[in-house]
């Protein structure tokens, strides 16, 4: 059914109070479609819609929503019904959602949930959000190495509800340490009397709870895993990270990289309200405004030169723009490379040297080109000044676009600081200083 | 074992001719680590290293390498050994690799491969690279709806080799049309005598062979699938796309978005040689150079105004920079939003209107700020001109950053055209025209 028709039909059934007719449609829907339908409904229908859903459906729905809509939904459901839904939700989604609540409301909800659910979710909430612990679920099935395949399948069947999104069984020893992994495929292929220790894969790759989520994602991507076990310092299994969460990490990290290049501010999407979007974008713009005025005040210092050779101004936008552009290009290469490369000293040296060479090649090409153009348009001496300036600023711009983000990354400074517009604006200043510096030095020949 | 030690040990064993010692280490490695080791080895050891590997290991290795290194490896292996390796490789990786070969060499390889392998891979190669057909594999196991669970497991066991990266069995009817799906988990949980048609999920979501890979990736991400079946126009199952390929699609698309924002040119990574990187970046830079000169020539037209109020120049870098920055921010929001949103007319109108409002809020804030600064630094009338200009250019810059990429996207023009630097440079021109236009109009009050 196409989404518009689905929405129209849902509103009709809601208005007519046809609960069972609505259920027939809803049973066909995946959680994502559920959430799409909810978003498409006018807000006045939300409450009634929610009352028509069973707790499983509510859990599916709330797990797909954005934090804001989750809060609204909890509010509409009331604390009693909410806590029933929370008992059913995936623990990792639940932990993320509860992390958005105020301390008082959080305690209220935790108190009204089942004891064991509230304990496991509180454990998950104790990890940093952007680490393996923060994105893992602690709903998984473990088996012992001395089990037979039959035992394992038995245990698996009795915990079937827990294993909806899980593709491996993890094998632990008597101290709960992770010693192996068995996939569903292995279980299907094996004879039921075989021992787990004989069919398990025992060189399990696991990640520590505090590993950065980006590294976890890299490991799962490199090895084409469906899930990766998370262990503490004693190799005790604490949870698992699944591939669907990893996709979300990659999307999140890509968005951060794009924020970095554009200084566009965090969390602006198509649905953000204008004043929120403006508020998030303004801090960068105000900072860049002041830096832009610094560029201007540099010109103030060169007023004499400018007054004597007004034509110098004609090439100013081009030189500043080009330096900014080449810096952004270099920054993009660094930002993109950091997604898949580890930064050791050798890599850094190689990269800086490479970009230096790129700067020289680009500088010579564009320098000569603009020398010829300026010579024809104005005169050879001005062409010489513009060409040499562009050559120099392109090399410096390329290096700035490489070295600044690498240095900040190494220092562990929030990489958003190395934003594209910031590098562009800094390169503006460099380029004006160099251009008018060279022009002033050669002023005698220009006039 | 850490990578450096692994490399050193491998070189040692290669030099001493200790093949079996080397094999002991290699058996521990995942394909990704295999490829990392190969890359870390100095090229002079590559040939000997390859002769020490068995065909399975060679297939794992070549599947992980970049096209350039794959070609080098095929050359080193020779046609006979290469075709043995190709018979073992995953069909989708093989199709990608063969797509890089010249027609003559391709025919040579296809002729020397097993008949059925060469047929299936040729079929895969007939699909467009960035579509569902282009990224799918046609190695999968189908079962019939009238099978029992026992039959299904039997068939699954006899095709075990094909199912390494597969997590579902697909159910087809007598016309090979896709009618259902069964996961390994379902098979484990079911009784062996149950019929497949009773346990299968029959509202299978499938994608057509010619669907864009980005859309396929979106579907798999939205529904948290591990794989998605690909069908032709008659709903006949042609292949499956697996989640690991989808992760690669997301990384690829993120890289394209970053290229878009930075005009950094395709396929530049940490290993690209400097002259190649410079060559790929230059076309954009040369284009931007010419546009930059147009900005300059605009100034030429305002020479009178400039000569009379030199202080106007001081605010030029700031105004041009700010207009460029706000445009880049808007562009980033659009580029990022396109990853997860479908663009219908309503969305477009809403977005353009939102950005217009953002432009007004940002314009008022920055305009007032700069009016105050310019009034203190120079005089109120200049402050007024600069403030009004900034207000206007920020609104136009924001709209340009939204409307230009949306229009190009709608027109189906290569989105790279809507690059960040291009929008910055175009906004440069707008902002200079407006600034000096307003200044010239009010020139009487300025002097």
């Amino acid at each position: 059914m196409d989404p518009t028709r689905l929405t129209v039909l849902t509103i009709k059934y809601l208005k007519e109070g046809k609960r069972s007719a609505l259920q027939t449609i809803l049973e066909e829907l995946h959680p994502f479609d559920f959430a799409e339908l909810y978003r498409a409904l006018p807000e006045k229908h939300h409450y009634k819609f929610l009352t028509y859903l069973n707790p499983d459906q509510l859990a599916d729905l709330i797990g797909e929503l954005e934090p804001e809509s989750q809060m609204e939904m909890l509010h509409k459901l009331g604390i009693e019904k909410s806590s029933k839904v929370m008992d059913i939700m995936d623990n990792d989604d639940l932990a993320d959602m509860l992390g958005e609540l105020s301390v008082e409301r959080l305690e209220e909800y935790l108190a009204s949930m089942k004891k064991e659910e509230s304990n496991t979710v509180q454990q998950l909430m104790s990890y940093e959000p952007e680490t393996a612990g923060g994105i893992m679920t602690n709903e998984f099935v473990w088996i012992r190495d001395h089990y037979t395949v039959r035992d394992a399948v038995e245990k698996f069947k009795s915990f079937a509800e827990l294993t909806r999104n899980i593709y491996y069984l993890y094998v632990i020893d008597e101290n709960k340490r992770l010693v192996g992994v068995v996939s569903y495929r292995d279980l299907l292929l094996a004879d039921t009397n075989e021992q787990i220790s004989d069919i398990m894969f025992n060189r399990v790759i696991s990640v520590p709870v505090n590993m950065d989520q980006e590294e976890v994602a890299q490991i799962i991507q490199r090895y084409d895993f469906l899930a990766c076990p998370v262990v503490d310092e004693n190799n005790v299994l604490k949870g698992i990270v699944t591939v669907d969460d990893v996709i979300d990490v990659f999307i999140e990290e890509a968005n951060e990289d794009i924020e970095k290049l554009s200084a566009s501010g965090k969390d602006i999407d198509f649905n953000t309200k204008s004043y929120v979007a403006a508020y998030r974008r303004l801090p960068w713009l105000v900072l860049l405004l002041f830096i832009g005025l610094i560029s201007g005040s540099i010109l103030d210092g060169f007023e004499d030169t400018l007054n004597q050779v007004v034509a110098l101004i004609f090439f100013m936008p081009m030189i500043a723009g080009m330096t900014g552009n080449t810096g952004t290009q270099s920054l993009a290469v660094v930002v993109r490379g950091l997604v898949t490369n580890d930064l050791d000293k050798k890599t850094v040296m190689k990269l800086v040297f490479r970009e230096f060479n790129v700067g020289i090649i680009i500088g010579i090409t564009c320098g000569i080109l603009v020398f010829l153009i300026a010579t024809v348009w104005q005169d050879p001496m001005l062409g010489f000044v513009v060409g040499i300036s562009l050559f120099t600023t392109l090399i410096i711009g390329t290096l700035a676009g490489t070295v600044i983000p690498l240095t900040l990354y190494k220092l562990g400074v929030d990489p958003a600081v190395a934003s594209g517009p910031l590098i562009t604006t800094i390169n503006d200043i460099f380029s004006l200083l160099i251009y008018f510096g060279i022009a002033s030095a050669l002023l005698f020949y220009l006039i």
Side-chain angles (χ1 to χ4, degrees), chain A:
Chain A
M1 205 181 304
D2 84 286
T4 320
R5 209 170 104 66
L6 183 66
T7 314
V8 172
L9 210 60
T10 304
I11 295 176
K12 180 172 176 296
Y13 289 152
L14 284 174
K15 279 187 177 160
E16 298 172 0
K18 292 189 176 159
R19 185 175 183 154
S20 62
L22 185 60
Q23 271 296 339
T24 321
I25 314 180
L26 296 182
E27 272 159 22
E28 303 274 328
L29 298 182
H30 282 267
F32 175 82
D33 300 321
F34 239 124
E36 286 285 83
L37 172 60
Y38 186 74
R39 285 188 202 103
L41 282 181
E43 217 198 300
K44 58 178 178 180
H45 295 301
H46 278 180
Y47 181 72
K48 193 160 188 188
F49 182 72
L50 292 178
T51 62
Y52 274 26
L53 302 184
N54 61 43
D56 280 319
Q57 290 170 327
L58 288 169
D60 277 348
L61 171 60
I62 203 167
E64 288 284 334
L65 294 176
E66 304 70 46
E68 262 172 71
S69 316
Q70 286 181 327
M71 296 302 114
E72 185 216 313
M73 187 168 151
L74 288 182
H75 184 71
K76 288 210 161 80
L77 288 177
I79 195 145
E80 199 184 335
K81 205 161 182 185
S82 290
S83 51
K84 261 189 211 142
V85 171
M86 288 180 186
D87 286 338
I88 308 173
M89 277 178 76
D90 285 341
N91 274 345
D92 51 344
D93 292 342
L94 179 57
D96 290 343
M97 183 175 85
L98 293 176
E100 302 280 328
L101 290 171
S102 66
V103 182
E104 305 88 63
R105 298 208 53 201
L106 173 62
E107 296 198 337
E108 245 182 299
Y109 281 114
L110 287 175
S112 65
M113 287 172 61
K114 282 193 198 145
K115 193 79 199 143
E116 77 257 33
E117 286 293 328
S118 112
N119 283 345
T120 45
V121 79
Q122 280 184 72
Q123 241 194 322
L124 277 185
M125 290 177 70
S126 67
Y127 299 108
E128 288 292 314
E130 303 213 335
T131 63
I135 58 171
M136 76 184 183
T137 173
N138 50 15
E139 289 171 327
F140 58 88
V141 177
W142 56 261
I143 51 178
R144 287 293 312 279
D145 44 355
H146 59 73
Y147 282 16
T148 62
V149 168
R150 186 178 298 108
D151 298 335
V153 172
E154 279 309 308
K155 170 148 189 186
F156 170 71
K157 284 186 178 175
S158 58
F159 285 93
E161 255 316 295
L162 276 184
T163 59
R164 265 182 305 165
N165 299 311
I166 299 175
Y167 329 101
Y168 306 111
L169 298 180
Y170 294 95
V171 189
I172 59 175
D173 68 9
E174 65 277 13
N175 296 316
K176 294 191 172 177
R177 281 187 303 232
L178 180 66
V179 293
V181 62
V182 170
S183 72
Y184 294 177
R185 180 173 170 266
D186 300 328
L187 289 181
L188 278 177
L189 290 176
D191 187 274
T192 49
N193 292 316
E194 276 185 274
Q195 208 176 328
I196 291 297
S197 55
D198 292 331
I199 66 160
M200 74 186 189
F201 183 78
N202 49 23
R203 296 187 308 271
V204 201
I205 292 185
S206 61
V207 299
V209 279
N210 58 358
M211 185 185 261
D212 186 82
Q213 63 172 2
E214 198 167 358
E215 272 182 82
V216 180
Q218 257 179 31
I219 286 174
I220 289 186
Q221 183 248 334
R222 285 174 174 181
Y223 296 116
D224 291 342
F225 287 157
L226 296 181
C228 184
V230 183
V231 295
D232 69 9
E233 60 279 14
N234 300 316
N235 200 29
V236 171
L237 185 58
K238 300 308 264 183
I240 57 169
V241 174
T242 53
V243 69
D244 51 307
D245 296 322
V246 159
I247 293 185
D248 298 338
V249 170
F250 273 113
I251 294 179
E252 209 179 287
E253 299 286 341
N255 284 347
E256 282 177 19
D257 287 344
I258 289 175
E259 275 162 26
K260 217 177 289 178
L261 277 170
S262 62
S264 59
K266 268 203 182 308
D267 292 331
I268 302 178
D269 61 32
F270 282 12
N271 298 313
T272 312
K273 299 215 165 52
S274 19
Y275 63 91
V276 179
Y279 178 78
R280 289 184 183 155
R281 284 167 60 163
L282 267 170
W284 270 111
L285 288 174
V286 171
L287 176 65
L288 296 170
L289 190 153
F290 280 99
I291 305 184
L293 288 173
I294 297 177
S295 309
S297 63
I298 289 173
L299 294 179
D300 203 352
F302 290 109
E303 204 174 331
D304 280 351
T305 311
L306 275 171
N307 272 328
Q308 293 184 59
V309 191
V310 180
L312 280 172
I313 300 174
F314 305 157
F315 297 95
M316 211 176 85
M318 185 276 297
I319 288 188
M322 290 291 284
T323 317
N325 292 331
T326 193
T328 310
Q329 288 186 334
S330 297
L331 173 65
V333 173
V334 173
V335 164
R336 223 188 313 166
L338 289 177
V339 176
T340 40
N341 287 274
D342 306 315
L343 264 203
D344 51 45
K345 209 172 165 185
K346 204 179 124 199
T347 313
V348 171
M349 290 311 297
K350 206 179 120 193
L351 185 64
V352 173
F353 184 69
R354 201 270 307 271
E355 290 296 302
F356 179 65
N357 284 333
V358 170
I360 291 181
I361 299 174
I362 288 176
I364 290 177
T365 316
C366 296
I368 291 177
L369 192 61
V370 87
F371 162 72
L372 295 174
I373 295 172
T375 301
V376 174
W377 185 17
Q378 303 285 335
D379 70 275
M381 199 55 216
L382 186 59
F384 179 74
V385 169
V386 175
I388 284 289
S389 300
L390 188 61
F391 170 73
T392 318
T393 59
L394 282 178
I395 293 173
I396 291 178
T398 307
L399 282 178
T402 315
V403 174
I404 295 176
L406 285 176
T407 311
L408 291 170
Y409 183 85
K410 273 286 169 195
L411 293 175
V413 177
D414 180 2
V417 177
S419 80
L422 188 63
I423 286 189
T424 305
T425 315
I426 290 175
N427 275 343
D428 256 21
I429 299 183
F430 281 145
S431 61
L432 292 179
L433 280 174
I434 291 168
Y435 179 42
F436 288 108
I438 292 177
S440 303
L442 301 176
L443 191 59
F444 175 76
Y445 303 98
L446 283 172
I447 43 180

